[in-house]
């Protein structure tokens, strides 16, 4: 039996799969980003939230495939692997969340898998490995099309009177925010990217309004122009997406792709179903 994990900074999803392809127990735990947590904190989450809950299934696990945010360097991957091996003496494979997108969306076929959630990311995948990668650079320098970028555009345009007054008024009232509170959350508190991304439901609610639609459209257009369209032969491959922003704004996303003559691939909210199928196919 193998254990597959899709791990973000906020939450993680774990699923057991046996060698016949039968899906077993699935559960959620807090996120475990190695950039933000110490080794001991990661081990404690595993002990309390995962190992203790799996019970007798622990002895049946023969390998762990962990896909996680923040697992982009050998050092961070080792940090996660060591924490897992302190509970299971089995093979542990640690991959980035971008590899999760590639395996879940492309399987063994070439394509351009992308992530549009709180942040954004993309790569050119040849069916086996990542061949080209444009760094997303984070929400200050990049992350075009992400929830953080959309939230940043929303608050900036509201505070600089670039949106109709009625929309700005509704926005500030709905989230019970003032300009001073927004500036404090962005410049003085932790995780401003998450705060900005948390505002995207307002954009979805008012997507019918021309100014809001255009704001989202331009952010997605920038994502393609500054990321996807830089890959060699990008127009020969389907472009796939995973993430809450891609999923909830897929109509606008598809409008942009059609205008740029880019082939629309799969658009999924979560990679887990695709990861399960990817690993089941490896048993055959």
């Amino acid at each position: 039996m193998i254990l597959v994990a899709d791990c973000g900074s906020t939450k993680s999803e774990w699923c057991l799969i046996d060698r016949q392809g039968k899906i077993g127990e699935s559960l959620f735990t807090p996120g475990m980003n190695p950039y933000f947590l110490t080794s001991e904190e990661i081990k404690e989450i595993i002990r309390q939230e995962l190992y203790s809950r799996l019970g007798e299934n622990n002895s049946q696990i023969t390998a762990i495939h962990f896909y996680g945010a923040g697992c982009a360097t050998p050092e961070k991957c080792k940090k996660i692997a060591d924490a897992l091996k302190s509970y299971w003496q089995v093979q542990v494979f640690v991959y980035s969340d971008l590899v999760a997108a590639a395996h879940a969306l492309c399987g063994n076929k070439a394509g351009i898998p992308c992530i549009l959630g709180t942040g954004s990311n993309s790569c050119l995948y040849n069916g086996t490995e990542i061949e080209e990668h444009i760094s997303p650079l984070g929400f200050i320098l990049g992350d075009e099309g992400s929830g953080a970028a959309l939230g940043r555009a929303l608050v900036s345009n509201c505070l600089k009177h670039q949106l109709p007054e009625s929309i700005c008024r509704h926005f500030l009232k709905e989230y019970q925010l003032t300009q001073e509170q927004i500036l404090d959350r962005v410049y003085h508190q932790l995780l401003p990217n998450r705060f900005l991304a948390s505002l995207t439901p307002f954009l979805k609610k008012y997507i019918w309004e021309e100014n809001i639609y255009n704001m989202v459209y331009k952010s997605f257009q920038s994502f393609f122009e500054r990321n996807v369209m830089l890959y060699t032969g990008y127009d020969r491959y389907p472009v796939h997406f995973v993430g809450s922003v891609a999923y909830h704004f897929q109509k606008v996303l598809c409008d942009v792709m059609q205008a740029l003559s880019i082939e629309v691939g799969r658009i999924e909210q979560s990679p887990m179903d695709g990861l399960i199928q990817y690993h089941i196919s490896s048993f055959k």
Side-chain angles (χ1 to χ4, degrees), residues 55-98:
E56 61 184 25
N57 285 322
N58 285 305
S59 62
Q60 304 299 313
I61 295 171
T62 57
I64 299 173
H65 295 267
F66 183 99
Y67 299 86
C71 297
T73 66
E75 176 193 1
K76 301 304 181 187
C77 290
K78 185 178 185 300
K79 189 175 181 179
I80 292 291
D82 288 347
L84 291 167
K85 286 181 179 179
S86 65
Y87 295 95
W88 297 276
Q89 297 302 308
V90 299
Q91 281 189 304
V92 175
F93 304 90
V94 181
Y95 318 88
S96 69
D97 53 355
L98 190 56

Side-chain angles (χ1 to χ4, degrees), residues 54-179:
L54 286 175
E56 61 184 25
N57 285 322
N58 285 305
S59 62
Q60 304 299 313
I61 295 171
T62 57
I64 299 173
H65 295 267
F66 183 99
Y67 299 86
C71 297
T73 66
E75 176 193 1
K76 301 304 181 187
C77 290
K78 185 178 185 300
K79 189 175 181 179
I80 292 291
D82 288 347
L84 291 167
K85 286 181 179 179
S86 65
Y87 295 95
W88 297 276
Q89 297 302 308
V90 299
Q91 281 189 304
V92 175
F93 304 90
V94 181
Y95 318 88
S96 69
D97 53 355
L98 190 56
V99 174
H103 286 177
L105 298 170
C106 301
N108 296 312
K109 297 181 179 179
I112 299 178
C114 305
I115 299 171
L116 281 185
T118 298
S120 66
N121 210 343
S122 66
C123 68
L124 175 60
Y125 179 71
N126 64 14
T128 303
E129 60 185 6
I130 293 174
E131 205 165 86
E132 297 180 27
H133 176 235
I134 304 297
S135 175
L137 298 180
F139 83 104
I140 293 177
L141 299 178
D143 269 359
E144 299 86 2
S146 68
L150 291 173
R152 182 180 61 209
L154 172 61
V155 296
S156 176
N157 286 336
C158 274
L159 298 181
K160 285 185 175 288
H161 311 292
Q162 300 300 301
L163 291 173
E165 183 181 348
S166 59
I167 289 182
C168 297
R169 187 169 60 250
H170 286 311
F171 165 66
L172 295 173
K173 181 179 180 181
E174 185 166 324
Y175 286 87
Q176 297 185 323
L177 289 169
T178 65
Q179 177 172 317

Side-chain angles (χ1 to χ4, degrees), residues 25 60 75 87 119 145 168 202 209 212 231 244 255 259-260 272:
E25 186 171 0
Q60 304 299 313
E75 176 193 1
Y87 295 95
C168 297
F202 183 86
E209 209 281 336
I212 298 294
Y231 295 123
S244 57
D255 287 348
L260 296 174
M272 183 52 88

Side-chain angles (χ1 to χ4, degrees), residues 46 50 68 89 101 106 149 156 159 182 199 213 215 220 229 248 274:
I46 293 171
L50 183 64
Q89 297 302 308
C106 301
S156 176
L159 298 181
I182 291 172
L199 307 176
Y213 175 91
M215 186 192 311
F220 289 162
M229 296 172 74
H248 289 292

